[in-house]
Amino acid sequence: MATMRDTGPELRRADGGPIRVLVVDDEASLSELLSMALRYEGWDVRTAADGAAAVRTAREHRPDAVVLDVMLPDFDGLEVLRRLRAEAPEVPVLFLTARDAVEDRVAGLTAGGDDYVTKPFSLEELVARLRGLLRRSRMTAARHGSELVVGDLVLDEDSHEVRRGDDLIELTATEFELLRYLMRNPKRVLSKAQILDRVWNYDFGGQSNVVELYVSYLRKKIDAGRAPMIHTVRGAGYVLKPAAGG
């Protein structure tokens, strides 16, 4: 089964070589299907069927992105993620989860996974999400040290300092996590459900008003008296992007 090639610009490594992807799944037929789809994109794909092999292959292969099943025969995908990030903190990870396993999805994102798809999934969607992760990782990988930069807004992940222009902005812990999630996904519309999963670490059962409330808090601190950066996309969610003219 072939995927539709993305119409955007071809993604390649900084050295001009093909993107390297590691697929980790103990289901051989699914792993092979994913590999075929990703090779169709022109990418260099390696596979692993358990956690130990995934960590070993990642160390040798140095992937640019990882597709990682949560359930593995030796240790779970969350432990694989922890070991991968110990050696490659910036590598984007796309989790594969069971359709109804909300706790897996939330645990994966909380542990530092960048996105997820639920089984069964379309190959087109998975490839599109991987391309999005790779593009965004390149937007943030160029940052200086621990800083995320979007327009004149700067967030330091180590010191937890946030500045807009020359102004230091004081944020609560939750406001900081919300802003960090928005800044890691610049120009991408994030739904309230995605924000709940990532920032609050569990399912609020549809209480999306907590997202609206904290976005309003954040706007008062980030956008007050300035050209707005946080925008509502009616019926879809929120997006953060550089201010007009910024």
Side-chain angles (χ1 to χ4, degrees), residues 46-107:
R46 305 290 171 89
T47 62
D50 58 45
V55 174
R56 184 174 61 253
T57 304
R59 189 173 293 127
E60 298 166 354
H61 186 49
R62 300 289 182 183
D64 300 297
V66 179
V67 179
L68 178 59
D69 193 11
V70 172
M71 300 300 296
L72 295 170
D74 47 0
F75 46 86
D76 66 21
L78 303 185
E79 178 60 25
V80 174
L81 175 65
R82 282 189 285 271
R83 298 189 188 189
L84 291 179
R85 287 281 167 80
E87 297 190 22
E90 302 294 340
V91 64
V93 173
L94 176 71
F95 271 112
L96 304 179
T97 71
R99 176 179 288 278
D100 298 322
V102 174
E103 66 277 8
D104 284 347
R105 184 174 78 233
V106 174

Side-chain angles (χ1 to χ4, degrees), residues 220-236:
K220 289 175 183 176
K221 296 183 178 183
I222 299 298
D223 288 345
R226 308 176 179 95
M229 295 184 68
I230 302 171
H231 303 270
T232 301
V233 180
R234 194 168 301 279

Side-chain angles (χ1 to χ4, degrees), residues 137-173:
S137 71
R138 279 156 172 70
M139 293 179 76
T140 57
R143 67 195 186 212
H144 299 290
S146 61
E147 291 183 347
L148 293 171
V149 182
V150 178
D152 63 347
L153 183 63
V154 180
L155 179 149
D156 191 310
E157 294 186 294
D158 289 343
S159 69
H160 277 221
E161 281 192 355
V162 175
R163 293 182 178 275
R164 182 148 183 205
D166 296 327
D167 298 327
L168 182 64
I169 298 170
E170 298 292 337
L171 299 179
T172 67

Side-chain angles (χ1 to χ4, degrees), residues 37-48:
L38 299 178
R39 289 186 180 114
Y40 180 76
E41 295 294 310
W43 297 346
D44 180 5
V45 183
R46 305 290 171 89
T47 62

